[in-house]
């Protein structure tokens, strides 16, 4: 029988940044970790062949030192470019040299930015519009939000011709006139809303989209005490049909506030990870892991982190980076067994096999 060791994740490294970290992200190939902080820096960290992490370059323009606050980092799918979003602009940096390639003045209400798969454009999402930006020329193609609505979040779709947009009623709209939240599929080329459907008002984040056998799937975070969910999305004409494939629940009865981030990791996005706290006002103190295809709960780890990143690399150990203040923790673990193997092992009378070694 397979049993989970109580210390499945082990802290393999502790690093220190010079400012309070606001965001971090591993590159798609797992070779790089990018962090940004509340002061004026974004930092590139290199992951070597032994999965040790070391500082590589500090990304900063001297004229902006102590002036801007970095809020987000985002890697291009080909690992060549790093996007940093500050409260004043969006910058694109070359990974290998750490040199600044381009800068775009940004609105202060930008919610999120992400790359399209073509590695030529990124998407900047603000309250009133979703902007498609050519990172080499800074040419912007805006997609305006319908009157009376505002953008909550956006996410890449199944191809570079579309994006998913999560809309909610504008705060200035009278309560009696507010419509439900809406999930919209937008065609980038002609800036037309192809299809849309109402969604629960609690929906706050669309964390991932994927396609398998012609069906679209979404990982959705509602916030509060609601469990993260995997949605199955079918598009027919101008209609979107959403069904809950399964939710990611805990095995015990304790109430946890799922605050995110909500991440996937492992080969073919096998695992789902989400952080939680005791209540919505508390800081994150636990990380939960599930099998994505089945929703099967695998493990809870006590990790005190305000910011997290999970390496999407399909090889090597699973790597988790956590940050609280200026301190960074690098956590590694052996890979989990296949869900079928784990389930079969529960009824086995064989001696237990520990994934990380027997308890000490």
């Amino acid at each position: 029988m397979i049993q989970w060791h109580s210390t499945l994740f082990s802290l393999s490294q502790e690093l220190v940044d010079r400012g309070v970290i606001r965001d971090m992200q591993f590159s798609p190939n797992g070779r790089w970790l990018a962090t940004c902080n509340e002061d004026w820096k974004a930092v590139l960290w290199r992951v070597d062949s032994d999965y040790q992490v070391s500082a590589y370059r500090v990304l900063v323009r001297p004229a902006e030192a102590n002036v801007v606050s970095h809020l987000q980092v985002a890697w291009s799918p080909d690992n060549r470019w790093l996007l940093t979003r500050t409260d004043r602009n969006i910058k694109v940096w070359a990974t290998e040299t750490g040199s600044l390639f381009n800068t775009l003045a940004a609105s202060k209400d930008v919610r999120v930015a992400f790359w399209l798969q073509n590695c030529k454009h990124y998407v900047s999402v603000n309250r009133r519009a979703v902007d498609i930006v050519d990172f080499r020329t800074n040419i912007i193609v805006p997609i305006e939000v319908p009157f009376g609505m505002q953008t909550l979040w956006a996410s890449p779709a199944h191809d570079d011709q579309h994006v998913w947009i999560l809309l909610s009623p504008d705060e200035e709209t009278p309560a009696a006139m507010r419509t439900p939240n809406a999930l919209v599929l937008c065609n980038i080329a002609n800036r037309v809303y192809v299809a849309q459907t109402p969604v629960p008002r609690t929906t706050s984040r669309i964390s991932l989209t994927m396609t398998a056998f012609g069906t679209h799937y979404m990982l959705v975070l509602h916030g509060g005490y609601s469990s993260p969910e995997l949605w199955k999305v079918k598009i027919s004409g101008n209609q979107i049909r959403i069904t809950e494939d399964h939710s990611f629940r805990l095995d015990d009865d304790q109430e946890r506030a799922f605050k995110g981030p909500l991440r996937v990791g492992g080969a073919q996005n096998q695992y789902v990870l989400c952080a939680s706290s005791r209540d919505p006002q508390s800081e994150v103190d636990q990380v939960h892991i599930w099998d994505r295809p089945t929703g099967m709960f695998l493990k809870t780890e006590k990790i005190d982190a305000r910011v997290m990143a999970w390496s999407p690399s399909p090889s090597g150990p699973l790597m988790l980076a956590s940050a609280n203040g200026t301190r960074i923790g690098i956590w590694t673990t052996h890979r989990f067994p296949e869900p079928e193997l784990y389930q079969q092992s529960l009824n086995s009378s064989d001696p237990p096999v520990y994934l990380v070694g027997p308890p000490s």
Side-chain angles (χ1 to χ4, degrees):
M1 182 177 69
I2 296 174
Q3 292 186 356
W4 302 111
H5 190 276
S6 60
T7 55
L8 183 58
F9 269 100
S10 59
L11 182 63
S12 59
Q13 264 186 286
E14 287 187 289
L15 308 168
V16 178
D17 203 341
R18 296 180 182 178
V20 176
I21 295 173
R22 293 290 299 272
D23 190 30
M24 54 174 33
Q25 188 181 80
F26 281 99
S27 61
N29 62 8
R31 288 186 54 214
W32 303 95
L33 173 67
T35 62
C36 63
N37 60 49
E38 290 182 352
D39 294 336
W40 48 272
K41 302 188 309 299
V43 180
L44 275 179
W45 307 79
R46 186 196 292 273
V47 182
D48 65 23
S49 58
D50 295 326
Y51 304 100
Q52 293 295 298
V53 180
S54 58
Y56 180 68
R57 290 186 186 275
V58 176
L59 308 180
V60 63
R61 294 190 67 188
E64 295 178 338
N66 300 317
V67 175
V68 300
S69 175
H70 285 79
L71 305 173
Q72 182 194 355
V73 290
W75 288 96
S76 64
D78 62 2
N79 310 284
R80 294 179 58 198
W81 307 99
L82 177 69
L83 178 153
T84 62
R85 178 172 64 87
T86 75
D87 53 10
R88 293 191 177 186
N89 48 50
I90 293 176
K91 298 179 182 296
V92 176
W93 309 79
T95 303
E96 292 292 343
T97 63
S99 58
L100 178 64
F101 183 83
N102 214 341
T103 301
L104 176 71
S107 167
K108 287 188 176 181
D109 67 351
V110 173
R111 307 292 175 91
V112 67
F114 57 86
W115 289 86
L116 295 180
Q117 288 296 319
N118 62 20
C119 302
K120 298 178 181 178
H121 300 86
Y122 64 83
V123 179
S124 173
V125 182
N126 61 57
R127 185 165 172 259
R128 294 296 185 186
V130 175
D131 295 332
I132 313 301
V133 184
D134 184 321
F135 86 93
R136 295 182 182 275
T137 64
N138 277 351
I139 294 176
I140 299 175
V141 178
I143 302 172
E144 300 296 333
V145 173
F147 177 78
M149 302 293 282
Q150 63 178 337
T151 303
L152 281 181
W153 206 251
S155 175
H158 52 288
D159 56 37
D160 278 343
Q161 303 302 313
H162 300 83
V163 292
W164 290 103
I165 305 174
L166 181 63
L167 300 174
S168 72
D170 194 303
E171 297 171 357
E172 300 172 0
T173 304
M177 299 176 59
R178 293 183 182 179
T179 58
N181 286 10
L183 178 65
V184 177
L185 180 64
C186 182
N187 184 291
I188 295 174
N190 54 25
R191 290 178 280 179
V192 171
Y193 292 136
V194 177
Q196 68 179 56
T197 187
V199 294
R201 195 173 294 276
T202 56
T203 305
S204 60
R205 296 284 178 90
I206 306 170
S207 296
L208 176 112
T209 59
M210 66 196 96
T211 302
F213 304 108
T215 300
H216 309 296
Y217 293 89
M218 287 185 175
L219 276 174
V220 180
L221 186 64
H222 294 286
Y225 295 103
S226 299
S227 299
E229 296 175 346
L230 183 69
W231 287 357
K232 183 182 293 184
V233 183
K234 292 188 176 181
I235 305 169
S236 177
N238 63 351
Q239 299 294 318
I240 302 174
R241 182 183 177 187
I242 294 177
T243 56
E244 181 185 330
D245 199 65
H246 52 259
S247 59
F248 298 98
R249 302 182 182 277
L250 304 179
D251 278 353
D252 51 36
D253 295 328
Q254 64 174 326
E255 282 194 332
R256 302 290 301 180
F258 292 97
K259 305 178 72 171
L262 182 61
R263 297 283 189 262
V264 292
Q268 300 179 348
N269 294 328
Q270 179 74 24
Y271 310 113
V272 170
L273 172 150
C274 190
S276 74
S277 60
R278 292 184 299 276
D279 57 71
Q281 285 71 44
S282 301
E283 294 184 3
V284 165
D285 61 356
Q286 288 188 359
V287 176
H288 313 285
I289 304 169
W290 299 266
D291 176 69
R292 179 188 57 80
T294 64
M296 178 178 167
F297 174 71
L298 298 176
K299 183 67 177 175
T300 291
E301 291 290 343
K302 293 184 178 180
I303 298 177
D304 183 10
R306 294 184 180 182
V307 182
M308 289 189 305
W310 198 354
S311 173
S313 173
S315 61
L318 294 178
M319 294 186 67
L320 169 68
S322 65
N324 193 340
T326 62
R327 300 179 62 184
I328 302 172
I330 304 296
W331 306 77
T332 56
T333 183
H334 294 289
R335 294 183 175 273
F336 301 104
E338 292 298 321
E340 295 80 4
L341 174 63
Y342 176 66
Q343 196 65 47
Q344 293 171 7
S345 73
L346 296 179
N347 300 322
S348 173
S349 58
D350 295 335
V353 176
Y354 292 93
L355 297 181
V356 182
S360 56

